[in-house]
Amino acid sequence: MHAVIVDSAIYRDGRRTEGPDDLSDALGEARATGDAFLWVGLHEPTEDEFELVSSEFGLHPLAVEDALTAHQRPKLEVYDDSLFMVVKPVVYEPEHDTVATGELMIFLGDSFVVTVRHGEGAPLTAVRKRLEAEPDVLRHGPTAVMYALCDAAVDHYVDVAGELQTDLEELETEVFAPNGSTKNTAARIYTFKRQVLEFRRATGPLAQPVNRLAGAAGVPFVHDQSRPFFRDVSDHLTRVNEQVEGLDRLLSDILSAHLAQMGVRQNDDMRKISAWAAMAAVPTMVAGIYGMNFDHMPELKWAWAYPTVVLLMAGAVLGLYRLFKRRGWL
């Protein structure tokens, strides 16, 4: 069981204190003092490993099932004895220009916080260290942990959105370059659009839970004084969602412009091919006529017939070339 518990501690008056190893004793100690709470962090627990935690903290079976199954949308659910929230942290991988998402489940109740991490994108270690360096924030109890986790995830969203914006500008410059290569460009745009879609699945659904935490109606187990902080998170998230929507629209426009550009280039190629085929058709026709095995043909006995026909064909080709050149076909 201890292998999946990444960290566990009791926070009393904003300070970390090491509690009993037994979760039931630790939770009882935190509740006995009244100004403390227990924070347990787990990483990808199995059903058997999580059963002890869920029974000790009285977590709802449906929330436990979601935490174990993962692959959940960001959401906020209120149960009788706890609050369950799902956040999808996002990490940008610059070596592959891809977006990787993790999952973070937060159980919040009376004097306890249980976090379950899936994947590598959750910023739990950094958040815990930052909170432990700010005891004034930790004094607000479990709500401070939920706020800090949401705030850290949204801050990562802002960074990832900036990286995607930079990559999109580079792709846009390459697509519209005068001599830019069109090889696999449509595939690259489509792959980029998939990355934006993956990012959007993490940021879009989170808006409703954060707005609910910031709303005037209030949420059980969440202090009313925390609403301004969640409003700040909501503002940042709104800005990220607007930026993601802009990226998606711009990608669609770039793809449409690229396809139109490809059509123009294909028309130019067809005009060039048609022009060269027309120039080749004239001498082919004349040579074909004079290649027929007939005795009675014009100019067959004339001494200057051959150079005259050759000059005629060259003149016809030259005339067609100049005509197509003026029209921009060549």
Side-chain angles (χ1 to χ4, degrees):
M1 178 64 194
H2 290 281
V4 298
I5 297 181
V6 179
D7 201 351
S8 176
I10 296 176
Y11 294 89
R12 182 177 290 107
D13 194 29
R15 303 289 182 179
R16 179 184 177 116
T17 60
E18 299 302 328
D21 292 336
D22 185 84
L23 294 179
S24 179
D25 295 339
L27 181 59
E29 180 179 327
R31 286 174 172 171
T33 59
D35 61 346
F37 69 93
L38 175 65
W39 182 0
V40 179
L42 300 96
H43 178 240
E44 297 182 355
T46 63
E47 183 175 356
D48 294 336
E49 292 169 336
F50 197 48
E51 182 178 358
L52 175 61
V53 177
S54 61
S55 61
E56 292 291 346
F57 291 94
L59 305 180
H60 197 278
L62 293 177
V64 171
E65 181 182 357
D66 289 343
L68 292 173
T69 306
H71 304 293
Q72 304 294 319
R73 297 177 72 252
K75 61 182 179 179
L76 176 66
E77 295 179 347
V78 179
Y79 297 99
D80 293 336
D81 299 324
S82 63
L83 189 69
F84 177 63
M85 186 174 187
V86 179
V87 180
K88 294 180 74 69
V90 174
V91 175
Y92 180 77
E93 299 178 353
E95 61 275 9
H96 303 296
D97 293 335
T98 57
V99 172
T101 59
E103 290 193 42
L104 177 61
M105 285 73 173
I106 307 170
F107 294 89
L108 189 147
D110 180 19
S111 301
F112 74 85
V113 177
V114 177
T115 54
V116 181
R117 177 168 62 92
H118 292 269
E120 301 299 328
L124 285 182
T125 303
V127 172
R128 189 185 284 263
K129 290 181 178 179
R130 189 179 72 196
L131 281 175
E132 290 176 355
E134 300 176 354
D136 291 339
V137 178
L138 272 176
R139 288 191 181 97
H140 291 84
T143 304
V145 177
M146 176 174 283
Y147 158 72
L149 292 173
C150 293
D151 185 58
V154 173
D155 286 344
H156 277 78
Y157 293 165
V158 175
D159 295 337
V160 172
E163 294 287 351
L164 290 176
Q165 182 67 43
T166 300
D167 289 346
L168 181 60
E169 291 173 357
E170 294 176 356
L171 178 61
E172 185 178 16
T173 301
E174 182 178 342
V175 168
F176 294 105
N179 298 321
S181 174
T182 59
K183 186 178 181 180
N184 297 329
T185 301
R188 290 182 57 201
I189 296 174
Y190 179 76
T191 301
F192 201 120
K193 197 172 182 67
R194 287 293 299 260
Q195 300 301 319
V196 173
L197 177 61
E198 184 72 17
F199 187 32
R200 194 172 188 174
R201 287 173 178 170
T203 63
L206 186 60
Q208 183 177 2
V210 173
N211 290 335
R212 187 177 175 186
L213 291 169
V219 178
F221 307 105
V222 177
H223 293 298
D224 293 338
Q225 295 178 353
S226 66
R227 287 201 294 266
F229 298 95
F230 283 108
R231 281 200 297 268
D232 181 68
V233 175
S234 178
D235 291 341
H236 293 172
L237 183 60
T238 299
R239 187 164 64 249
V240 170
N241 283 326
E242 290 174 352
Q243 190 171 359
V244 172
E245 291 179 3
L247 289 173
D248 187 56
R249 288 195 301 269
L250 189 56
L251 273 172
S252 299
D253 293 341
I254 290 175
L255 180 59
S256 299
H258 170 68
L259 295 177
Q261 193 177 43
M262 288 291 295
V264 171
R265 291 180 181 178
Q266 289 176 353
N267 289 335
D268 290 340
D269 292 340
M270 288 301 299
R271 284 199 297 265
K272 291 178 181 179
I273 293 172
S274 300
W276 286 110
M279 288 187 291
V282 173
T284 300
M285 180 187 66
V286 176
I289 293 175
Y290 275 88
M292 296 179 182
N293 296 321
F294 291 109
D295 291 333
H296 303 289
M297 294 184 67
E299 314 300 342
L300 282 180
K301 304 300 183 180
W302 185 35
W304 296 99
Y306 177 74
T308 301
V309 172
V310 171
L311 289 175
L312 177 64
M313 290 189 294
V317 172
L318 180 61
L320 289 173
Y321 177 83
R322 295 184 63 182
L323 175 63
F324 294 142
K325 194 72 173 178
R326 284 197 304 268
R327 292 185 176 181
W329 286 31
L330 294 174

